[in-house]
Amino acid sequence: MLIGPRPDASAAPVPDRIRGDNTESLSLDGGRISYDLRFHALYPPQFHFPSGRLLINLEAQKSLRVKYHLSTRGVFYGARMLSDQLGSEFADSDYDKLHKVYSIWICMNAPKRIGNAMAIYRLTKQERVGHVPEEHRHYDKLTIVQIFLDSREEYGPPGSLYRLLNVLFSPQLDYQEKERILSREY
């Protein structure tokens, strides 16, 4: 699977599966993050994750010309969403109640050298000596996904995620043309 199991759309009514969260996070020293969009969604029970929830941050980035690497910012945002769970999702040292976090970045106007592309960063285990019998679900708590969009490539191949997002975010297409393309292809 590309970014993990998908929540089952038929498992519960929409209001019970996805709920918006506060888009601001304050640290003890006064540092503040303002997320573009932050919400949580439920995992279907058959995936047997310790918690049945995903915490998701969705960010739109118009330009890659920033003074830092977006992957580093994604790690920071995801780590903040992990640490913010102490006191709200679990108490004391009950870390097994920690929910998985996704920080998803849609990067528009990607340079031609990148084009339409996707990169995924995640926590993994590398056993160097012996075998440590730890289940993936216990440490797989943070994934950063970067989706790069380059509308110069005819919006991407028909039916692709890149074409869908390029059409949705295109400033050149009016809403009728977007609707026509999306209804025909998706």
Side-chain angles (χ1 to χ4, degrees):
M1 282 178 243
L2 190 54
I3 59 173
R6 287 181 286 159
D8 181 4
S10 64
V14 172
D16 294 335
R17 286 186 332 239
I18 297 174
R19 188 180 82 210
D21 291 331
N22 185 355
T23 57
E24 285 197 342
S25 172
L26 299 171
S27 66
L28 293 176
D29 67 353
R32 181 173 71 174
I33 292 178
S34 293
Y35 302 99
D36 287 354
L37 180 63
R38 191 166 76 162
F39 60 95
H40 69 262
L42 298 179
Y43 263 114
Q46 67 264 31
F47 288 112
H48 306 290
F49 277 84
S51 73
R53 292 177 30 169
L54 289 173
L55 301 179
I56 302 169
N57 159 236
L58 184 61
E59 297 289 325
Q61 188 73 32
K62 288 186 180 180
S63 173
L64 296 182
R65 295 176 190 251
V66 289
K67 60 184 177 184
Y68 49 81
H69 291 92
L70 287 180
S71 56
T72 306
R73 185 172 167 201
V75 169
F76 182 79
Y77 276 35
R80 189 64 153 305
M81 287 178 64
L82 287 170
S83 68
D84 281 349
Q85 293 179 54
L86 178 60
S88 63
E89 302 294 332
F90 68 93
D92 300 321
S93 58
D94 198 359
Y95 296 107
D96 283 343
K97 291 186 178 176
L98 193 65
H99 300 294
K100 168 118 181 172
V101 168
Y102 280 95
S103 186
I104 302 170
W105 295 73
I106 299 176
C107 308
M108 293 163 255
N109 306 311
K112 196 166 188 83
R113 64 182 165 75
I114 295 177
N116 289 315
M118 182 185 303
I120 298 174
Y121 306 86
R122 61 170 34 135
L123 293 175
T124 62
K125 175 179 76 167
Q126 292 183 335
E127 295 178 324
R128 298 296 182 174
V129 177
H131 173 67
V132 179
E134 186 68 51
E135 292 181 47
H136 180 256
R137 66 188 172 116
H138 294 293
Y139 61 84
D140 180 26
K141 298 295 183 184
L142 174 61
T143 299
I144 296 97
V145 178
Q146 292 179 327
I147 302 168
F148 298 91
L149 302 177
D150 180 2
S151 62
R152 293 173 297 227
E153 297 179 16
E154 293 293 319
Y155 298 113
S160 70
L161 172 67
Y162 307 107
R163 183 165 174 87
L164 171 75
L165 294 173
N166 272 316
V167 167
L168 280 174
F169 296 124
S170 172
Q172 288 83 27
L173 299 175
D174 62 27
Y175 78 90
Q176 291 100 346
E177 181 65 9
K178 290 178 183 184
E179 184 177 15
R180 186 186 66 72
I181 293 169
L182 295 177
S183 64
R184 183 183 70 227
E185 294 184 22
Y186 299 93

